[in-house]
Amino acid sequence: HLASYTGVEIDEGLVEYVQRSFPAERFLAVSADNLKDHIPDGSIDTVICSLPWTLFAGDLQESITQEIIRVLKPGGKFTTFLCIHALTYPGAPRAKKIFKQYFTGFEKCETIARNIPPANVYMGRK
């Protein structure tokens, strides 16, 4: 089957811009912790997430992760990153602990040194 893309971004202006740039794709101007009216349960194969996890409070980390789990199909893949400089922030170990609770085989898979700032990439499955 053909792949489709759904982008989620809270900033409405940015969503309008990327929707004009990529009219064949779907973009939602909603918070990642409140997708229930927009994305059905178990309907997504892969989530690639670039949220600043280390800056979020624990309850927001948890609620976004629960939404990711809800929308992923069984065996669905979750990929995210944590910037290396932010690994010392309190939110980093808390986020990794939450991810390990929800995703099977959640682990660091590579470091992207050329990213600005450098970041570790993590993956797991529902």
Side-chain angles (χ1 to χ4, degrees), residues 7-12 15 27-35 38-39:
V8 175
E9 168 57 49
I10 200 166
D11 183 304
E12 290 181 20
V15 168
F27 296 93
L28 304 171
V30 297
S31 177
D33 66 335
N34 190 17
L35 303 172
H38 307 280
I39 301 176

Side-chain angles (χ1 to χ4, degrees), residues 11 13 18 42 97 125:
D11 183 304
V18 295
K97 181 179 178 184
R125 292 201 176 266

Side-chain angles (χ1 to χ4, degrees), residues 80-94:
T80 193
F81 69 88
L82 299 175
C83 293
I84 292 172
H85 76 280
L87 293 176
T88 59
Y89 297 2
R94 185 178 57 235

Side-chain angles (χ1 to χ4, degrees), residues 1-102:
H1 71 82
L2 294 174
S4 63
Y5 174 87
T6 299
V8 175
E9 168 57 49
I10 200 166
D11 183 304
E12 290 181 20
L14 182 54
V15 168
E16 289 172 10
Y17 173 78
V18 295
Q19 189 67 73
R20 282 192 308 271
S21 300
F22 302 96
E25 308 304 337
R26 178 180 180 216
F27 296 93
L28 304 171
V30 297
S31 177
D33 66 335
N34 190 17
L35 303 172
K36 63 183 172 290
D37 293 334
H38 307 280
I39 301 176
D41 295 1
S43 63
I44 304 290
D45 293 309
T46 301
V47 170
I48 301 170
C49 182
S50 62
L51 289 171
W53 292 103
T54 59
L55 302 179
F56 294 155
D59 59 342
L60 184 56
Q61 290 175 333
E62 181 85 24
S63 64
I64 293 171
T65 304
Q66 288 174 355
E67 275 295 273
I68 292 169
I69 284 291
R70 185 188 65 74
V71 302
L72 276 174
K73 293 178 180 178
K77 187 170 162 181
F78 169 66
T79 302
T80 193
F81 69 88
L82 299 175
C83 293
I84 292 172
H85 76 280
L87 293 176
T88 59
Y89 297 2
R94 185 178 57 235
K96 288 194 281 187
K97 181 179 178 184
I98 291 169
F99 298 150
K100 286 180 181 186
Q101 290 173 344
Y102 284 94

